[in-house]
Amino acid sequence: MKAYLFIDFGSTYTKLTAVSKEEDIILATAKSYTTVETDVMEGFGKAFALLMNDLPNDIEFEQKLACSSAAGGLKIVSIGLVPELTMEAAKRAALGAGARVTDVFSFKLNQSEVKRIKNAKADMILLAGGTDGGNTDVIIHNARMLKDAEIKIPVVVAGNKSANDEIIEIFEGQMNYHITENVMPSLNQINVEPARETIRNIFMENIVKAKGMSKAKDLISGILMPTPAAVLKAAEVLSQGTKHEDGIGDLAVVDIGGATTDVHSVCEGAPSKPSVVLRGLEEPVAKRTVEGDLGMRYSALSLYEAAGKRYLRRYKLSHLEEMDVEKEFTFRNEHTDFVPSTEEELQFDEVMAKICVDISMKRHAGTVTPVYSPLGMMYSQEGKDLMELPYLVGTGGVIVNSRNPEEILKAGLFHEEDLDSLKPRHPKYLIDEKYVLSALGLLAMVDEEKALRMLKKYVVKC
Protein backbone atom coordinates (compact mmCIF):
# COMPACT_ATOMS: atom_id res chain seq x y z
CA MET A 1 0.00 0.00 0.00
CA LYS A 2 1.41 3.37 -1.02
CA ALA A 3 1.01 6.37 1.28
CA TYR A 4 2.31 9.80 2.20
CA LEU A 5 3.82 10.49 5.62
CA PHE A 6 3.46 14.02 6.98
CA ILE A 7 5.40 15.08 10.07
CA ASP A 8 4.80 18.16 12.20
CA PHE A 9 7.61 18.83 14.67
CA GLY A 10 5.53 21.01 16.99
CA SER A 11 6.69 23.08 19.94
CA THR A 12 4.98 20.62 22.31
CA TYR A 13 4.14 17.49 20.31
CA THR A 14 5.51 15.78 17.21
CA LYS A 15 2.48 14.72 15.16
CA LEU A 16 2.53 12.12 12.37
CA THR A 17 -0.18 11.60 9.76
CA ALA A 18 -0.29 8.79 7.20
CA VAL A 19 -2.45 9.51 4.14
CA SER A 20 -3.40 6.96 1.48
CA LYS A 21 -2.10 7.84 -1.96
CA GLU A 22 -4.97 6.08 -3.74
CA GLU A 23 -7.89 7.12 -1.54
CA ASP A 24 -8.80 10.40 0.18
CA ILE A 25 -8.45 8.97 3.66
CA ILE A 26 -6.20 9.31 6.69
CA LEU A 27 -4.82 5.87 7.44
CA ALA A 28 -3.50 6.66 10.92
CA THR A 29 -2.22 9.43 13.17
CA ALA A 30 0.13 9.41 16.15
CA LYS A 31 1.90 11.89 18.39
CA SER A 32 4.60 12.04 21.04
CA TYR A 33 6.13 14.81 23.14
CA THR A 34 8.70 16.79 21.12
CA THR A 35 12.10 16.04 22.66
CA VAL A 36 13.68 19.31 21.56
CA GLU A 37 15.85 19.48 24.70
CA THR A 38 17.71 16.31 23.73
CA ASP A 39 17.09 15.01 20.20
CA VAL A 40 13.87 15.56 18.25
CA MET A 41 14.29 12.13 16.70
CA GLU A 42 13.53 10.52 20.06
CA GLY A 43 10.01 11.96 20.02
CA PHE A 44 9.67 11.16 16.34
CA GLY A 45 10.74 7.55 16.95
CA LYS A 46 8.10 7.07 19.64
CA ALA A 47 5.38 8.59 17.47
CA PHE A 48 6.49 6.56 14.44
CA ALA A 49 6.34 3.30 16.41
CA LEU A 50 2.78 4.13 17.52
CA LEU A 51 1.82 4.99 13.94
CA MET A 52 3.19 1.77 12.49
CA ASN A 53 1.16 -0.26 14.98
CA ASP A 54 -1.97 1.04 13.25
CA LEU A 55 -0.79 0.52 9.68
CA PRO A 56 -0.63 -2.61 7.50
CA ASN A 57 2.71 -4.36 7.12
CA ASP A 58 2.89 -3.65 3.40
CA ILE A 59 2.78 0.14 3.85
CA GLU A 60 5.22 2.02 1.65
CA PHE A 61 5.74 5.75 2.14
CA GLU A 62 6.25 7.28 -1.27
CA GLN A 63 7.04 10.70 0.21
CA LYS A 64 7.86 11.91 3.72
CA LEU A 65 7.33 15.64 4.13
CA ALA A 66 7.59 17.76 7.25
CA CYS A 67 7.00 21.13 8.81
CA SER A 68 8.43 22.39 12.06
CA SER A 69 7.80 24.85 14.86
CA ALA A 70 10.12 23.07 17.30
CA ALA A 71 12.54 25.14 19.38
CA GLY A 72 10.25 28.15 19.08
CA GLY A 73 9.83 27.89 15.32
CA LEU A 74 11.20 30.41 12.86
CA LYS A 75 12.14 33.70 14.58
CA ILE A 76 12.69 36.83 12.50
CA VAL A 77 13.70 40.42 13.20
CA SER A 78 11.98 42.82 10.81
CA ILE A 79 13.52 46.17 9.78
CA GLY A 80 11.80 48.83 7.68
CA LEU A 81 11.69 52.57 7.06
CA VAL A 82 8.36 54.09 8.18
CA PRO A 83 6.57 52.12 10.95
CA GLU A 84 3.16 52.27 9.26
CA LEU A 85 4.48 51.44 5.80
CA THR A 86 7.59 49.45 4.87
CA MET A 87 8.16 48.18 8.42
CA GLU A 88 4.59 46.91 8.54
CA ALA A 89 4.94 45.39 5.05
CA ALA A 90 8.12 43.58 6.12
CA LYS A 91 6.39 42.30 9.25
CA ARG A 92 3.50 40.95 7.19
CA ALA A 93 5.88 39.18 4.83
CA ALA A 94 7.62 37.48 7.75
CA LEU A 95 4.35 36.45 9.42
CA GLY A 96 2.97 35.09 6.16
CA ALA A 97 6.08 32.96 5.76
CA GLY A 98 5.29 31.25 9.05
CA ALA A 99 7.70 33.21 11.21
CA ARG A 100 7.39 34.63 14.66
CA VAL A 101 8.49 38.28 14.53
CA THR A 102 10.49 38.80 17.70
CA ASP A 103 11.30 42.48 17.15
CA VAL A 104 10.68 45.29 14.67
CA PHE A 105 12.74 48.40 13.91
CA SER A 106 12.18 51.49 11.77
CA PHE A 107 14.23 54.41 10.42
CA LYS A 108 18.03 54.39 10.86
CA LEU A 109 19.33 51.79 13.32
CA ASN A 110 21.43 53.01 16.22
CA GLN A 111 24.08 51.09 18.14
CA SER A 112 21.76 50.01 20.95
CA GLU A 113 19.25 48.64 18.45
CA VAL A 114 21.95 46.72 16.60
CA LYS A 115 23.06 45.26 19.91
CA ARG A 116 19.46 44.16 20.56
CA ILE A 117 19.35 42.49 17.16
CA LYS A 118 22.63 40.69 17.78
CA ASN A 119 21.40 39.41 21.15
CA ALA A 120 17.92 38.51 19.93
CA LYS A 121 18.73 34.88 19.05
CA ALA A 122 16.69 35.27 15.88
CA ASP A 123 17.06 32.91 12.92
CA MET A 124 16.89 35.57 10.24
CA ILE A 125 16.65 39.31 9.52
CA LEU A 126 14.24 40.80 6.99
CA LEU A 127 15.71 44.10 5.80
CA ALA A 128 13.29 46.41 3.95
CA GLY A 129 12.90 50.14 3.46
CA GLY A 130 11.89 52.60 0.77
CA THR A 131 9.67 52.24 -2.27
CA ASP A 132 11.42 51.49 -5.57
CA GLY A 133 13.16 54.68 -6.65
CA GLY A 134 12.52 56.29 -3.26
CA ASN A 135 14.68 56.67 -0.16
CA THR A 136 17.90 54.63 -0.27
CA ASP A 137 19.85 56.26 2.58
CA VAL A 138 18.09 54.41 5.42
CA ILE A 139 18.28 50.87 4.08
CA ILE A 140 21.94 51.35 3.05
CA HIS A 141 22.76 52.77 6.50
CA ASN A 142 21.03 49.79 8.15
CA ALA A 143 22.85 47.33 5.90
CA ARG A 144 26.18 48.88 6.85
CA MET A 145 25.29 48.75 10.56
CA LEU A 146 24.47 45.03 10.30
CA LYS A 147 27.72 44.34 8.47
CA ASP A 148 29.81 46.31 11.00
CA ALA A 149 28.16 44.37 13.83
CA GLU A 150 29.26 41.10 12.15
CA ILE A 151 25.76 39.66 12.14
CA LYS A 152 26.01 35.96 11.30
CA ILE A 153 22.40 34.99 10.61
CA PRO A 154 20.88 35.20 7.09
CA VAL A 155 19.63 38.61 5.95
CA VAL A 156 16.80 38.81 3.41
CA VAL A 157 16.96 42.14 1.54
CA ALA A 158 13.49 43.15 0.34
CA GLY A 159 13.63 46.92 -0.01
CA ASN A 160 14.15 49.68 -2.57
CA LYS A 161 15.71 48.01 -5.62
CA SER A 162 17.77 51.16 -6.28
CA ALA A 163 19.80 50.33 -3.17
CA ASN A 164 20.52 46.69 -4.06
CA ASP A 165 23.83 47.25 -5.88
CA GLU A 166 25.32 49.18 -2.97
CA ILE A 167 23.98 46.67 -0.42
CA ILE A 168 25.59 43.85 -2.39
CA GLU A 169 28.91 45.72 -2.24
CA ILE A 170 28.54 46.10 1.53
CA PHE A 171 27.50 42.50 2.19
CA GLU A 172 29.57 40.60 -0.39
CA GLY A 173 32.01 38.25 1.33
CA GLN A 174 30.91 39.46 4.76
CA MET A 175 27.28 38.44 5.18
CA ASN A 176 24.89 35.59 4.44
CA TYR A 177 22.42 37.61 2.38
CA HIS A 178 19.61 37.03 -0.12
CA ILE A 179 18.19 39.70 -2.45
CA THR A 180 14.51 39.53 -3.34
CA GLU A 181 11.76 41.86 -4.57
CA ASN A 182 10.68 44.92 -2.60
CA VAL A 183 7.87 44.22 -0.10
CA MET A 184 6.49 47.69 -0.95
CA PRO A 185 7.45 48.63 -4.53
CA SER A 186 5.18 51.69 -4.48
CA LEU A 187 3.27 53.57 -1.81
CA ASN A 188 0.61 51.38 -0.16
CA GLN A 189 1.26 48.53 -2.63
CA ILE A 190 2.19 45.29 -0.88
CA ASN A 191 4.30 42.61 -2.57
CA VAL A 192 5.07 40.02 0.09
CA GLU A 193 5.07 36.72 -1.83
CA PRO A 194 8.69 36.86 -3.13
CA ALA A 195 10.01 37.61 0.37
CA ARG A 196 7.85 34.84 1.86
CA GLU A 197 9.21 32.32 -0.63
CA THR A 198 12.80 33.40 0.01
CA ILE A 199 12.29 33.07 3.78
CA ARG A 200 10.75 29.62 3.39
CA ASN A 201 13.63 28.41 1.20
CA ILE A 202 16.24 29.62 3.68
CA PHE A 203 14.33 27.95 6.52
CA MET A 204 14.26 24.69 4.60
CA GLU A 205 17.95 24.76 3.72
CA ASN A 206 19.77 26.41 6.59
CA ILE A 207 18.12 27.12 9.88
CA VAL A 208 16.46 24.02 11.29
CA LYS A 209 18.61 24.09 14.41
CA ALA A 210 16.65 22.01 16.88
CA LYS A 211 18.71 19.14 18.27
CA GLY A 212 18.60 16.14 15.98
CA MET A 213 16.78 17.97 13.17
CA SER A 214 19.66 17.30 10.79
CA LYS A 215 18.93 13.59 11.19
CA ALA A 216 15.28 14.29 10.46
CA LYS A 217 16.26 16.05 7.24
CA ASP A 218 18.13 12.92 6.17
CA LEU A 219 15.11 10.74 6.91
CA ILE A 220 12.45 12.75 5.11
CA SER A 221 12.10 14.27 1.65
CA GLY A 222 12.67 17.75 3.07
CA ILE A 223 11.56 20.25 5.67
CA LEU A 224 9.19 22.11 3.40
CA MET A 225 8.05 24.98 5.59
CA PRO A 226 7.42 26.27 9.09
CA THR A 227 4.25 24.75 10.56
CA PRO A 228 2.24 28.01 10.48
CA ALA A 229 2.95 28.36 6.76
CA ALA A 230 1.57 24.85 6.22
CA VAL A 231 -1.59 25.75 8.15
CA LEU A 232 -1.98 28.97 6.11
CA LYS A 233 -1.60 26.95 2.89
CA ALA A 234 -4.35 24.58 4.04
CA ALA A 235 -6.59 27.55 4.92
CA GLU A 236 -6.04 29.09 1.47
CA VAL A 237 -6.89 25.85 -0.35
CA LEU A 238 -9.98 25.21 1.79
CA SER A 239 -11.20 28.78 1.26
CA GLN A 240 -10.31 29.45 -2.38
CA GLY A 241 -10.38 25.96 -3.84
CA THR A 242 -8.41 24.85 -6.89
CA LYS A 243 -8.69 25.18 -10.66
CA HIS A 244 -11.18 22.32 -10.76
CA GLU A 245 -13.14 22.62 -7.49
CA ASP A 246 -14.50 25.50 -5.43
CA GLY A 247 -13.50 26.09 -1.83
CA ILE A 248 -15.96 26.90 0.94
CA GLY A 249 -15.39 30.68 0.87
CA ASP A 250 -14.06 33.22 3.36
CA LEU A 251 -12.81 31.86 6.66
CA ALA A 252 -10.49 32.37 9.61
CA VAL A 253 -8.49 29.69 11.42
CA VAL A 254 -7.58 29.99 15.09
CA ASP A 255 -4.66 27.72 16.02
CA ILE A 256 -3.92 27.53 19.75
CA GLY A 257 -0.53 26.05 20.57
CA GLY A 258 1.70 25.65 23.57
CA ALA A 259 3.82 28.68 22.70
CA THR A 260 1.69 30.88 20.40
CA THR A 261 -1.83 31.44 19.14
CA ASP A 262 -1.98 32.02 15.39
CA VAL A 263 -4.89 33.43 13.44
CA HIS A 264 -5.08 32.94 9.67
CA SER A 265 -7.78 34.72 7.69
CA VAL A 266 -8.50 34.22 3.99
CA CYS A 267 -10.82 37.01 2.86
CA GLU A 268 -10.68 40.54 1.50
CA GLY A 269 -12.00 42.09 4.71
CA ALA A 270 -13.56 45.05 2.89
CA PRO A 271 -16.04 47.24 4.84
CA SER A 272 -19.36 45.46 5.35
CA LYS A 273 -21.25 48.61 6.35
CA PRO A 274 -21.92 51.91 4.57
CA SER A 275 -20.18 55.14 5.58
CA VAL A 276 -16.92 53.29 6.26
CA VAL A 277 -13.68 54.27 4.51
CA LEU A 278 -10.45 52.29 4.49
CA ARG A 279 -7.13 53.70 5.62
CA GLY A 280 -3.67 52.25 6.09
CA LEU A 281 -1.93 49.51 4.13
CA GLU A 282 -3.81 47.18 1.84
CA GLU A 283 -4.56 43.94 3.65
CA PRO A 284 -3.43 40.65 2.06
CA VAL A 285 -6.23 38.22 1.24
CA ALA A 286 -4.33 35.49 3.11
CA LYS A 287 -3.21 37.09 6.35
CA ARG A 288 -1.57 35.57 9.41
CA THR A 289 -0.92 37.03 12.81
CA VAL A 290 0.99 35.27 15.56
CA GLU A 291 0.69 36.11 19.24
CA GLY A 292 3.85 35.02 21.02
CA ASP A 293 2.43 35.91 24.44
CA LEU A 294 -0.67 33.71 24.10
CA GLY A 295 -0.08 30.00 24.58
CA MET A 296 -1.22 27.08 26.69
CA ARG A 297 2.15 26.05 28.11
CA TYR A 298 5.38 27.83 27.12
CA SER A 299 3.54 31.18 27.09
CA ALA A 300 1.17 30.51 30.00
CA LEU A 301 2.68 33.21 32.23
CA SER A 302 2.60 35.86 29.52
CA LEU A 303 -1.00 34.81 28.80
CA TYR A 304 -1.82 35.47 32.46
CA GLU A 305 -0.26 38.93 32.17
CA ALA A 306 -2.08 39.69 28.90
CA ALA A 307 -5.41 38.55 30.31
CA GLY A 308 -5.33 40.73 33.42
CA LYS A 309 -8.41 40.98 35.60
CA ARG A 310 -10.60 41.98 32.65
CA TYR A 311 -10.42 38.69 30.75
CA LEU A 312 -10.24 36.53 33.86
CA ARG A 313 -13.48 38.17 34.97
CA ARG A 314 -15.04 37.88 31.49
CA TYR A 315 -14.56 34.11 31.50
CA LYS A 316 -15.60 33.66 35.12
CA LEU A 317 -12.70 31.94 36.75
CA SER A 318 -14.66 32.52 39.95
CA HIS A 319 -16.24 29.07 39.60
CA LEU A 320 -12.71 27.72 39.99
CA GLU A 321 -11.99 29.98 42.95
CA GLU A 322 -10.66 27.11 45.03
CA MET A 323 -7.71 27.09 42.61
CA ASP A 324 -4.91 29.62 42.88
CA VAL A 325 -5.18 31.17 39.42
CA GLU A 326 -1.64 32.54 39.16
CA LYS A 327 -0.24 29.30 40.53
CA GLU A 328 -2.09 27.31 37.84
CA PHE A 329 -0.69 29.48 35.05
CA THR A 330 2.80 29.18 36.54
CA PHE A 331 2.53 25.40 36.85
CA ARG A 332 1.64 25.03 33.18
CA ASN A 333 4.52 27.30 32.20
CA GLU A 334 6.96 25.16 34.19
CA HIS A 335 5.49 21.79 33.15
CA THR A 336 5.04 22.04 29.39
CA ASP A 337 4.16 18.34 29.08
CA PHE A 338 1.26 18.66 31.55
CA VAL A 339 -1.98 16.96 30.45
CA PRO A 340 -5.10 17.86 32.49
CA SER A 341 -6.87 14.91 34.09
CA THR A 342 -9.39 16.30 36.59
CA GLU A 343 -12.55 18.21 35.71
CA GLU A 344 -11.15 21.38 37.30
CA GLU A 345 -7.91 21.13 35.31
CA LEU A 346 -9.85 20.63 32.07
CA GLN A 347 -12.07 23.62 32.81
CA PHE A 348 -9.06 25.77 33.61
CA ASP A 349 -7.38 24.85 30.30
CA GLU A 350 -10.57 25.70 28.40
CA VAL A 351 -10.73 29.11 30.08
CA MET A 352 -7.13 29.69 29.02
CA ALA A 353 -8.08 28.70 25.47
CA LYS A 354 -11.01 31.13 25.45
CA ILE A 355 -8.72 33.97 26.50
CA CYS A 356 -6.26 33.00 23.72
CA VAL A 357 -9.05 33.05 21.13
CA ASP A 358 -10.57 36.31 22.37
CA ILE A 359 -7.35 38.34 22.47
CA SER A 360 -5.83 36.87 19.29
CA MET A 361 -8.99 37.51 17.26
CA LYS A 362 -9.15 41.07 18.60
CA ARG A 363 -5.55 41.68 17.52
CA HIS A 364 -6.12 40.09 14.11
CA ALA A 365 -9.39 41.82 13.21
CA GLY A 366 -9.56 45.40 12.06
CA THR A 367 -10.91 48.37 14.00
CA VAL A 368 -13.11 51.36 13.24
CA THR A 369 -12.96 54.88 14.60
CA PRO A 370 -15.54 57.65 14.09
CA VAL A 371 -14.51 60.64 11.98
CA TYR A 372 -16.32 63.81 11.05
CA SER A 373 -16.52 64.88 7.42
CA PRO A 374 -18.43 67.47 5.38
CA LEU A 375 -20.91 64.64 4.69
CA GLY A 376 -21.46 64.04 8.38
CA MET A 377 -20.35 61.21 10.66
CA MET A 378 -18.32 58.49 8.98
CA TYR A 379 -16.07 55.68 10.16
CA SER A 380 -12.45 54.96 9.34
CA GLN A 381 -11.50 51.28 9.08
CA GLU A 382 -7.98 49.97 9.58
CA GLY A 383 -7.36 46.27 9.03
CA LYS A 384 -9.87 43.60 8.00
CA ASP A 385 -13.61 43.71 8.60
CA LEU A 386 -14.48 40.17 9.75
CA MET A 387 -17.97 40.95 11.05
CA GLU A 388 -19.73 39.00 8.28
CA LEU A 389 -17.15 36.20 8.13
CA PRO A 390 -19.03 32.97 7.32
CA TYR A 391 -16.66 30.41 8.89
CA LEU A 392 -14.43 30.24 11.98
CA VAL A 393 -12.20 27.14 12.10
CA GLY A 394 -10.59 25.85 15.27
CA THR A 395 -7.42 23.79 15.54
CA GLY A 396 -4.74 23.07 18.13
CA GLY A 397 -4.75 20.38 20.81
CA VAL A 398 -6.96 22.16 23.34
CA ILE A 399 -9.70 22.76 20.72
CA VAL A 400 -9.46 19.42 18.94
CA ASN A 401 -9.63 17.48 22.22
CA SER A 402 -12.29 19.66 23.85
CA ARG A 403 -15.80 18.47 24.61
CA ASN A 404 -16.96 22.05 23.93
CA PRO A 405 -14.95 23.36 20.96
CA GLU A 406 -17.76 25.67 19.86
CA GLU A 407 -17.76 27.39 23.26
CA ILE A 408 -14.02 28.06 22.94
CA LEU A 409 -14.45 29.48 19.43
CA LYS A 410 -17.35 31.70 20.54
CA ALA A 411 -14.79 33.67 22.56
CA GLY A 412 -13.56 35.06 19.23
CA LEU A 413 -16.83 36.82 18.45
CA PHE A 414 -17.65 40.53 18.61
CA HIS A 415 -18.13 41.66 22.21
CA GLU A 416 -19.93 44.74 23.46
CA GLU A 417 -16.91 45.66 25.59
CA ASP A 418 -14.87 46.14 22.37
CA LEU A 419 -17.16 48.26 20.23
CA ASP A 420 -14.38 49.35 17.86
CA SER A 421 -13.38 45.79 16.97
CA LEU A 422 -14.46 44.17 13.69
CA LYS A 423 -14.48 40.60 15.02
CA PRO A 424 -16.98 38.10 13.55
CA ARG A 425 -20.59 38.27 14.73
CA HIS A 426 -22.29 35.05 13.60
CA PRO A 427 -19.96 32.59 11.82
CA LYS A 428 -20.48 28.87 11.50
CA TYR A 429 -17.99 26.88 13.57
CA LEU A 430 -15.76 24.22 12.05
CA ILE A 431 -13.13 22.06 13.73
CA ASP A 432 -9.99 20.36 12.46
CA GLU A 433 -11.37 17.06 13.73
CA LYS A 434 -8.25 14.92 13.26
CA TYR A 435 -5.74 17.74 13.92
CA VAL A 436 -4.42 17.48 10.36
CA LEU A 437 -4.47 21.03 8.94
CA SER A 438 -0.67 21.23 8.85
CA ALA A 439 -0.46 17.76 7.25
CA LEU A 440 -3.00 18.68 4.58
CA GLY A 441 -1.16 21.96 3.99
CA LEU A 442 1.90 19.87 3.20
CA LEU A 443 -0.22 17.60 1.00
CA ALA A 444 -1.36 20.69 -0.92
CA MET A 445 2.27 21.24 -1.93
CA VAL A 446 2.12 17.84 -3.67
CA ASP A 447 -1.52 17.52 -4.78
CA GLU A 448 -3.88 20.48 -4.23
CA GLU A 449 -6.95 18.66 -5.56
CA LYS A 450 -6.53 15.78 -3.13
CA ALA A 451 -5.79 18.19 -0.27
CA LEU A 452 -9.01 20.14 -0.93
CA ARG A 453 -11.16 17.01 -1.00
CA MET A 454 -9.65 15.85 2.28
CA LEU A 455 -9.96 19.27 3.92
CA LYS A 456 -13.67 19.28 3.11
CA LYS A 457 -13.91 15.79 4.59
CA TYR A 458 -11.96 16.30 7.83
CA VAL A 459 -12.73 19.93 8.70
CA VAL A 460 -16.23 19.45 10.07
CA LYS A 461 -18.97 21.30 11.91
CA CYS A 462 -18.61 21.38 15.69
Side-chain angles (χ1 to χ4, degrees), residues 214-325:
S214 58
K215 299 176 188 175
K217 289 181 71 176
D218 294 336
L219 172 74
I220 62 182
S221 305
I223 303 287
L224 282 186
M225 59 179 69
T227 300
V231 175
L232 182 58
K233 178 66 175 178
E236 288 183 273
V237 172
L238 178 61
S239 170
Q240 299 173 339
T242 65
K243 291 180 180 179
H244 304 292
E245 185 174 348
D246 291 337
I248 66 172
D250 293 349
L251 57 81
V253 176
V254 183
D255 184 357
I256 307 175
T260 68
T261 297
D262 297 358
V263 180
H264 311 74
S265 62
V266 187
C267 61
E268 288 188 4
S272 59
K273 305 295 180 187
S275 302
V276 178
V277 293
L278 283 169
R279 67 182 175 90
L281 284 180
E282 175 189 1
E283 291 285 333
V285 173
K287 175 182 178 180
R288 168 179 174 257
T289 51
V290 55
E291 309 305 337
D293 60 338
L294 308 179
M296 299 296 296
R297 294 295 180 264
Y298 290 95
S299 301
L301 273 181
S302 57
L303 172 63
Y304 176 65
E305 293 172 4
K309 292 182 179 180
R310 178 185 181 188
Y311 287 97
L312 296 178
R313 184 172 59 250
R314 179 179 292 183
Y315 295 105
K316 300 176 182 175
L317 274 175
S318 58
H319 73 288
L320 300 173
E321 58 188 11
E322 69 276 9
M323 304 173 79
D324 183 327
V325 173

Side-chain angles (χ1 to χ4, degrees), residues 7 277 292 308 437 445:
I7 308 156
V277 293
L437 270 185
M445 304 297 290

Side-chain angles (χ1 to χ4, degrees), residues 126-200:
L126 180 56
L127 177 62
T131 57
D132 286 342
N135 182 291
T136 59
D137 292 343
V138 171
I139 190 171
I140 290 171
H141 166 87
N142 291 341
R144 194 169 282 116
M145 293 287 281
L146 295 175
K147 189 267 292 185
D148 291 345
E150 299 181 347
I151 298 292
K152 302 299 183 186
I153 59 177
V155 178
V156 175
V157 180
N160 182 354
K161 68 177 184 179
S162 301
N164 285 350
D165 288 345
E166 193 164 344
I167 290 173
I168 290 171
E169 287 183 19
I170 294 168
F171 282 171
E172 193 64 37
Q174 305 290 322
M175 305 283 286
N176 178 359
Y177 72 96
H178 305 260
I179 304 287
T180 189
E181 294 179 28
N182 194 347
V183 293
M184 183 179 284
S186 60
L187 195 62
N188 287 331
Q189 178 191 351
I190 303 297
N191 176 41
V192 296
E193 287 304 323
R196 286 181 181 179
E197 185 66 17
T198 301
I199 291 167
R200 187 180 72 80

Side-chain angles (χ1 to χ4, degrees), residues 52-64:
M52 294 305 292
N53 286 338
D54 295 331
L55 292 172
N57 293 330
D58 65 343
I59 195 78
E60 180 184 340
F61 293 118
E62 187 159 293
Q63 283 186 286
K64 300 174 184 176

Side-chain angles (χ1 to χ4, degrees), residues 10-85:
S11 60
T12 307
Y13 286 98
T14 293
K15 299 172 285 290
L16 274 58
T17 305
V19 172
S20 169
K21 186 180 179 185
E22 289 79 20
E23 301 178 74
D24 297 334
I25 58 172
I26 294 170
L27 298 172
T29 62
K31 69 176 183 179
S32 181
Y33 187 71
T34 300
T35 47
V36 69
E37 297 85 0
T38 53
D39 185 329
V40 295
M41 293 307 292
E42 293 177 16
F44 169 82
K46 292 176 182 178
F48 189 72
L50 293 171
L51 187 79
M52 294 305 292
N53 286 338
D54 295 331
L55 292 172
N57 293 330
D58 65 343
I59 195 78
E60 180 184 340
F61 293 118
E62 187 159 293
Q63 283 186 286
K64 300 174 184 176
L65 305 176
C67 54
S68 174
S69 58
L74 172 60
K75 298 182 285 293
I76 287 184
V77 169
S78 178
I79 303 170
L81 176 52
V82 180
E84 298 83 4
L85 296 174

